[in-house]
Amino acid sequence: ISQSNTSFGEALGQDIITATLNRPFTSDVIVNIGANVAGTAKPAVDFTMQSTITIPAGQLTGTATLTAIQDELVENDETITIDVLSVVNAVPYGNLHLTSTIIDDDVATLRIATSFNGYEGVRNGAFRIFTDKRIDRNVTVNVSVNGTAAAGTDYTSIPVTFTLTANTDSLIVPVIVQNDAVSETDESVILTLASTDYPKANIAPSPEMTATVIIYEKPYVTLSQSTAVFSENGGQNTITATLSRT
């Protein structure tokens, strides 16, 4: 057997497998072929193929077609290994094993956004790093951190590397706000995507590579009441609004 391409694109690329006789035969020759588990590409997931090649009576050749299946998964190039499994009306001889490669054409772009801002003494903030296409391996994402808020004083220090887990869409970077009980102006934490450890996972250009979480320093308000039950005849319930600090 022989092939038309040793590599072909994921976007419906094809590889023609040809079975050849040394001389014509009076009956159809059937060549049964199959994908070897040694290949990294999966039948019906990464490609389709015919399982038999028919060489018509009186002819020297017959063909089957491998066709790549287009997907949106970012992955490495994958190999297909084809073997001759059996032959009817002829004797297997010569090259009975072929390998070809599907060239993946997907590239992911990573972006960052503000999930929510932080409020001192109330709640933490968070960033969300997300990809436009899923990736079939873990990707290390490197970031830089700056802003007017002080790490270790206004918020817990943020690592500069994170892992986007394989086959997921996003990861959350928490901003753990520290309550210093000091009245001050609102402050910012700025996270910028710097690089990844995978060439097929790119960083979006500005401004989508940077996001800001604001840590609001304003005091928060709680409400309380003097009673939960009071009489209809002039009864009163006093509602009190209280600041967390001055």
Side-chain angles (χ1 to χ4, degrees), residues 35 39-48 69 75 78-80 102 136:
T40 56
K42 300 178 179 60
V45 175
D46 299 306
F47 67 95
T48 60
I69 296 175
E75 54 196 341
E78 296 177 301
T79 58
I80 305 172
I102 299 175
D136 74 343

Side-chain angles (χ1 to χ4, degrees), residues 18-38:
T18 301
T20 303
L21 295 173
N22 64 328
R23 65 173 183 268
F25 191 62
T26 55
S27 299
D28 290 353
V29 173
I30 307 299
V31 181
N32 297 303
I33 59 174
N36 192 302
V37 294

Side-chain angles (χ1 to χ4, degrees), residues 108-219:
T109 300
L110 274 58
R111 295 173 170 85
I112 187 170
T114 304
S115 289
F116 42 85
N117 293 311
Y119 291 81
E120 186 174 305
V122 180
R123 77 174 189 191
N124 297 317
F127 297 98
R128 176 173 173 260
I129 298 172
F130 58 98
T131 176
D132 62 345
K133 293 183 178 181
R134 290 193 173 188
I135 306 167
D136 74 343
R137 50 158 281 179
N138 290 350
V139 175
T140 298
V141 183
N142 303 304
V143 305
S144 63
V145 186
N146 51 46
T148 58
T153 301
D154 297 309
Y155 65 96
T156 301
S157 295
I158 297 173
V160 294
T161 61
F162 296 90
T163 299
L164 178 65
T165 304
N167 298 304
T168 60
D169 297 308
S170 63
L171 67 93
I172 297 297
V173 179
V175 179
I176 309 301
V177 178
Q178 296 187 6
N179 189 0
D180 55 16
V182 176
S183 183
E184 51 193 343
T185 59
D186 298 339
E187 297 174 304
S188 64
V189 180
I190 302 172
L191 207 66
T192 300
L193 302 182
S195 62
T196 75
D197 68 341
Y198 187 38
K200 300 182 76 173
N202 296 330
I203 301 300
S206 181
E208 296 177 304
M209 64 189 295
T210 300
T212 301
V213 164
I214 301 298
I215 299 177
Y216 290 102
E217 298 285 346
K218 297 179 179 67

